[in-house]
Structure formats: structure tokens, C-alpha cells
Amino acid sequence: MSKIFNVNANCIPNRHYMVNLSERLNQIKAMVDAGEYFTINRARQYGKTTILKALADFLKEDYVVASLDFQKLSYANFENEPAFVMAFSCELIDNINVFPDNIQKNLEAFAEGNAESPTLLSLFRVINKWCRQSETGIVLMIDEVDSATNNQVFLDFLAQLRGCYINRDNKPTFQSVILTGVYDVRNIRRKLRSGEEHKVNSPWNIAADFLVDMSFSVKDIAGMLTEYENDYNTGMNISEIASLIFDYTSGYPYLVSRICKLLDERIAGSESCPDKKSAWTKAGVTDAVKLLMTEKNTLFESLVEKLNSYPELHDLVYALLFNGKTIPYNPLNKTIEIAEMFGFINNSSGNAVISNRIFETVLYNLFLSEESFSSDIYKAALQEKERFVENGHLNMDFILERFVVHFNDLYGDLEETFLEEAGRRYFLLYLKPIINGTGNYYIEARTRNMERTDVIVDYNGEQFVIELKLWRGNAYNERGREQLLGYLDHYHLSKGYMISFNFNKKKYSGVKKIIFGEKILVEAFV
């Protein structure tokens, strides 16, 4: 059976194209060898289950590995201690082939509900005996702990693990405990009884920092593509395609695999790419990204759900996208912590930034779609949509001309302070209905700030760079031209576009062309 790119559940080496996990597994094993307890908390579909299952296999030569999944447990299993002890014992018995006879007997009594004292304390006494009798260290791994974090009995379970860790020099216990989930259980506060205030300390504050990078590097992606290329001989430029996929995804595992899967199964054989050879090209990747942007998948649905559930997260993301605000990264800020935990942002040189180009565009599209129903400038572009495309080619010159006219007609009398923050949003609202269904856009991360932003548009194999900026005088405008010319060299383009939002009362409004050697700049002033 041939391998496929997988985006559902964990990846299996003999079934799926995967990145090489060896370096990551060695890093994690070093933590296990050191006896550390820790949590692998990453955003949704970040490869947590895959790394955990691979780790279980990687450790089995040196340790007894108890690999459990709390997703299998029901709400009833966390209602009280006896129910949890029964369910936990069943999971242990199902996952460990051989126990010492006395341990087996005790666990079976718990699992069958025949124990005289089915409490966490009695369970951990059995576990301590098991660890004492085992010839090798025992590693406990629990996947999907998120499903248990709202339950008091789980917090008490963590407290027992913490107590065992603290007393590990006196009483044998697990060599290492590894929990995985989206939420960082180190931040859970334990309640002693219903109605009491949370304790200051978390029952999992003994956990070591997990610093292993689980995102995919260009090298990781290239390794996966090399395996695919060995099977299909597409002739792709592996380095170029790997770099391009990374540029869009910043190595987010699900997004990398999803683009590859779309290229292999949907783009190859399409009208524009009739075979695999034509699919695994820059144009094919662009088509795959466009397809990804329009689909409804569980990852994107999760992003939307989190924005709806956390109003402060919604406001933070909106400010990063449209207001061009520089927001310092501070992990002690609750909103920053939530945004990073759910995968919305990364720390880039001390500032919070949207974590990848795909998320950024999906979020732009989401917010723009919410505004489009009542946006006059969106409606203006929609009415003239057919005028902007000629024989399949996007007429960006004409788009800028009409944008200036419509913007001035609709918003020329509004307050300057309002327009400074809204200008770029209005252009994206204007652009969206014109390219929708055929092209896509993204924001160039290196130029995203309050004063200037570069929008990159891909349309039917053509690329356009449009710089959006506030007018700060002639000297600033000249620097903007020089920077745009540099980007044209980077993108191998001979023509670029600038839109300057000038809110002076006496200003020039319109579009003009300037020639710089072999390059043409089309400048619009509104």
C-alpha cells in the first residue's frame, strides 16, 4: 500500500509521509532519562499525539511505558475517586502486558470494583510497589489531558503525582510522567473542597519546561518531500517547494501536511495541473493554498470558536491585523498567554505576531467577511468586479484608480484619526470581492506595522506587490519607494504599487506612474 500525507489523528511511519522525528525523540528521551515530569502543551493539531506514540516506541527498549489516553474516559469516570481509580486501573491493564502477580491482582480488584478502598491513595500505594519491583524505570504518558482538567478528581490525581515526585528519593515512583494537551496544566489551581478559594500553587508546578521545537523546519519538510519524490519522481525542486510551504505555514504541522495532501490528491489531476509533475511547482502550491483558504476544517473552526469564546482574544487579534499595533510579547499577560496557547501568535523579537501566513489570511478573511455585509466600499468593488479582470489578467492599475475614487467619495469627510487605522482595512475590503474565488493575498510580515504594510496578491499565476502606507512627507515617501523597489527585486517583478493615505486638507489625490530604470511604480494617493 502506497503512503499518503495524513492530517487525521496520529501519523504512522509505514502508512504516512512524515518528517524525521529522531532529533526530537532524543531530546525528549534526555528529559525522561533525567527523571523529569513535564507537559507537552501545543495548539490543536500540532503533532502531539504523533510524537507521544513515537516516543512510546522509542523508549520501550529502556523503560516500561504506560501510554494512556484520557480521551477514552467519560465524564462519569471523573465523578469521584472510586470511578476514576477503576477507569485508570482498566487503562493500565489494557496497556501493560506483564505486571508482577501481586500488582496485577490489586489492579484487577480496582478495575472490577472489588477493592476495599478504591481511593487515589490506595491506587498510588500499588503504583509505588510496582515501581519498586520493576527492574526498569516506568514512564507514564497520558494523552488528551484537556478532557480531564475541569474535574476535581483529576486535580487530586495531579497532586498525588506531585507528592510522589517530591518524595521520589524515599519512595520509588514513575521515572517520568508526560502529559499532553492544548492547555498547560501547570496553570491549574487546585480546590480542596467545593466553594473554597483556589490554592496559590498548582498541583503540577513541579513540571519541567518543555522546549522541544515541534514545528517543522524547511529541512524537515524537505526530508518528507524527498521520500515522496523517491516514490513518484515528479522532478520537483524539493528545496524551493519546502521553502515555499514553510513561508506559508511557519512549520505548523497540520498546515504543512494539509498543503502536501492537497497537492498530491486535489491539485494533481486538476485542470490547471493535469499531473503530479505540474502540481509540485510554485503555481501548484499557490493553488493548494487557495484551496486550503476556502475549506472548512476542524483547525479553522477551532480558531473561530476561540475568538467567539474569548472577547479579549478577538480584540487582540483584530488589533494585530488591522491597526498595525506593536504589541509586546508578555507571557504574564493573560490574553497573550491564551493567544499563544491556542496557536494564534508567536513571540517574534519580543513582539506578539500572528503565528503564520495561513492563519493571518484566514483571520483577515473572517473579519472582512463580517464587515462586508455593511461595507459600502466592498459593495462598490463588487458592482465593478468584472471591469478589473481582462482575459484572465488582473488590472491592478485600474483597481487603484477606482479605489481612490470610491474611497474619497465614501470617506473623504470622515475624521482623520478614524481613517488612519481604517485605511488598510478599506483597501482589503475593496480587493476581496475582486480576487475572491480566483486569487488570494497575504501580508508581508517584514513590513507589517502602523505606518506601512505590503500586500502580496497572487492571481492566475501573476503576483502583485502593493505597499499601503500613511503619508509622512516626501522624504518618508522616497524611502518607501526604495523599499518597494527592493521587494520587486526579491519577487522578480518589474512593476509595483503604492497607496498613500494622506489626510492633509491640501493634498494631491489620484494615481500616477513613475519609471525607475526598468521598473515602474504606480502610486495612488487618497
Side-chain angles (χ1 to χ4, degrees):
M1 185 176 86
S2 58
K3 289 186 178 183
I4 62 171
F5 291 103
N6 179 53
V7 293
N8 300 313
N10 62 297
C11 291
I12 302 170
N14 62 355
R15 295 183 184 179
H16 305 130
Y17 293 109
M18 295 175 55
V19 303
N20 189 329
L21 299 176
S22 298
E23 184 176 347
R24 295 172 178 84
L25 293 175
N26 278 312
Q27 288 178 278
I28 301 173
K29 185 176 183 296
M31 297 181 71
V32 172
D33 292 341
E36 292 183 325
Y37 287 27
F38 54 95
T39 305
I40 303 175
N41 61 288
R42 293 292 186 274
R44 285 203 64 184
Q45 294 178 288
Y46 218 93
K48 299 183 294 295
T49 299
T50 294
I51 198 75
L52 203 64
K53 289 188 176 297
L55 181 63
D57 189 61
F58 191 69
L59 295 175
K60 67 183 181 182
E61 295 298 322
D62 298 310
Y63 298 102
V64 174
V65 179
S67 183
L68 314 185
D69 184 355
F70 271 10
Q71 193 170 234
K72 296 178 182 178
L73 305 188
S74 68
Y75 176 79
N77 296 137
F78 293 98
E79 280 191 318
N80 51 57
E81 282 192 34
F84 178 79
V85 169
M86 179 184 293
F88 188 83
S89 300
C90 286
E91 283 294 295
L92 278 180
I93 291 170
D94 288 345
N95 284 275
I96 300 296
N97 293 326
V98 180
F99 288 101
D101 289 342
N102 62 325
I103 304 301
Q104 181 82 25
K105 181 179 178 181
N106 285 321
L107 289 175
E108 286 178 350
F110 287 135
E112 295 166 4
N114 296 325
E116 293 183 5
S117 179
T119 63
L120 286 171
L121 182 60
S122 57
L123 171 65
F124 272 85
R125 282 174 177 164
V126 174
I127 288 174
N128 287 337
K129 289 179 182 178
W130 177 29
C131 293
R132 182 182 297 113
Q133 294 175 31
S134 179
E135 295 181 359
T136 59
I138 302 172
V139 178
L140 175 64
M141 303 194 303
I142 305 176
D143 199 9
E144 300 290 351
V145 295
D146 291 354
S147 59
T149 52
N150 290 328
N151 298 284
Q152 181 62 47
V153 70
F154 174 69
L155 304 184
D156 294 337
F157 172 72
L158 288 183
Q160 287 286 343
L161 288 172
R162 178 179 182 272
C164 290
Y165 177 84
I166 292 172
N167 294 312
R168 63 194 183 280
D169 288 338
N170 299 320
K171 286 186 179 181
T173 188
F174 294 117
Q175 166 73 20
S176 178
V177 177
I178 307 168
L179 310 179
T180 70
V182 173
Y183 295 86
D184 188 349
V185 295
R186 288 182 299 181
N187 296 328
I188 294 174
R189 299 295 183 261
R190 183 182 176 224
K191 285 186 178 180
L192 293 177
R193 287 183 294 274
S194 177
E196 284 195 344
E197 292 298 320
H198 284 113
K199 268 193 167 184
V200 175
N201 64 312
S202 162
W204 200 239
N205 61 5
I206 46 87
D209 292 330
F210 182 77
L211 303 177
V212 178
D213 186 0
M214 290 178 60
S215 62
F216 295 167
S217 65
V218 174
K219 180 181 177 182
D220 289 328
I221 300 170
M224 182 167 60
L225 295 184
T226 297
E227 185 180 4
Y228 178 87
E229 182 65 11
N230 290 337
D231 288 340
Y232 290 101
N233 299 310
T234 68
M236 77 168 88
N237 184 326
I238 292 174
S239 177
E240 179 185 49
I241 298 301
S243 296
L244 191 57
I245 292 174
F246 181 84
D247 286 344
Y248 278 109
T249 65
S250 296
Y252 198 110
Y254 172 87
L255 297 176
V256 171
S257 296
R258 187 60 185 161
I259 290 175
C260 290
K261 190 174 183 68
L262 290 171
L263 280 165
D264 180 51
E265 299 178 10
R266 299 276 296 279
I267 301 303
S270 66
E271 183 177 347
S272 59
C273 300
D275 52 29
K276 292 185 184 298
K277 182 177 181 179
S278 55
W280 289 92
T281 59
K282 182 178 180 180
V285 172
T286 301
D287 286 346
V289 169
K290 182 174 68 177
L291 199 57
L292 174 60
M293 297 293 191
T294 60
E295 70 179 14
K296 185 178 181 180
N297 58 53
T298 55
L299 180 58
F300 294 166
E301 287 179 323
S302 176
L303 294 179
V304 175
E305 187 272 326
K306 296 300 185 295
L307 289 175
N308 292 333
S309 299
Y310 297 87
E312 67 277 21
L313 174 62
H314 180 284
D315 294 344
L316 171 70
V317 172
Y318 192 93
L320 286 172
L321 292 175
F322 291 110
N323 297 346
K325 291 183 178 178
T326 298
I327 299 179
Y329 173 85
N330 184 346
L332 298 179
N333 180 294
K334 191 64 179 177
T335 306
I336 295 291
E337 179 191 15
I338 290 171
E340 184 175 36
M341 180 172 64
F342 293 141
F344 283 88
I345 65 166
N346 287 331
N347 176 10
S348 177
S349 302
N351 293 319
V353 299
I354 302 299
S355 57
N356 59 71
R357 190 182 291 173
I358 298 291
F359 279 7
E360 186 171 60
T361 308
V362 167
L363 294 167
Y364 266 119
N365 288 341
L366 174 66
F367 287 121
L368 292 174
S369 68
E370 293 173 349
E371 295 189 45
S372 63
F373 298 107
S374 58
S375 170
D376 290 331
I377 201 159
Y378 180 93
K379 295 173 184 176
L382 189 61
Q383 290 175 352
E384 296 191 349
K385 178 179 179 179
E386 303 304 325
R387 300 179 63 190
F388 298 118
V389 179
E390 301 171 354
N391 300 318
H393 296 281
L394 194 65
N395 189 338
M396 189 60 71
D397 296 50
F398 190 48
I399 290 175
L400 265 62
E401 290 175 15
R402 296 303 294 162
F403 174 72
V404 170
V405 172
H406 287 135
F407 187 93
N408 288 331
D409 287 347
L410 292 169
Y411 310 116
D413 296 329
L414 292 181
E415 292 290 332
E416 175 181 336
T417 53
F418 173 76
L419 290 175
E420 283 191 354
E421 292 193 351
R424 71 190 72 197
R425 186 172 84 252
Y426 283 138
F427 177 71
L428 292 177
L429 276 166
Y430 194 80
L431 181 67
K432 183 61 180 169
I434 298 171
I435 66 172
N436 195 35
T438 303
N440 55 48
Y441 69 92
Y442 60 88
I443 307 302
E444 172 54 68
R446 290 170 293 182
T447 65
R448 186 197 301 105
N449 57 50
M450 189 64 187
E451 294 188 344
R452 59 185 293 259
T453 296
D454 286 337
V455 179
I456 315 299
V457 177
D458 292 312
Y459 191 94
N460 268 350
E462 293 183 285
Q463 203 164 50
F464 305 86
V465 179
I466 309 104
E467 180 179 294
L468 312 177
K469 62 185 181 63
L470 299 177
W471 176 262
R472 293 285 187 254
N474 288 320
Y476 179 79
N477 196 55
E478 287 297 327
R479 290 197 300 273
R481 289 173 178 170
E482 293 174 4
Q483 289 167 331
L484 180 55
L485 290 171
Y487 281 119
L488 294 182
D489 288 334
H490 175 76
Y491 287 103
H492 306 292
L493 298 172
S494 60
K495 193 174 189 179
Y497 301 85
M498 295 178 66
I499 302 178
S500 294
F501 295 93
N502 187 346
F503 304 110
N504 298 329
K505 295 301 181 182
K506 297 179 180 180
K507 65 178 182 181
Y508 165 78
S509 180
V511 178
K512 61 183 180 181
K513 293 182 180 180
I514 304 176
I515 298 176
F516 291 88
E518 297 180 351
K519 297 208 170 25
I520 300 173
L521 294 188
V522 179
E523 292 194 40
F525 298 87
V526 295

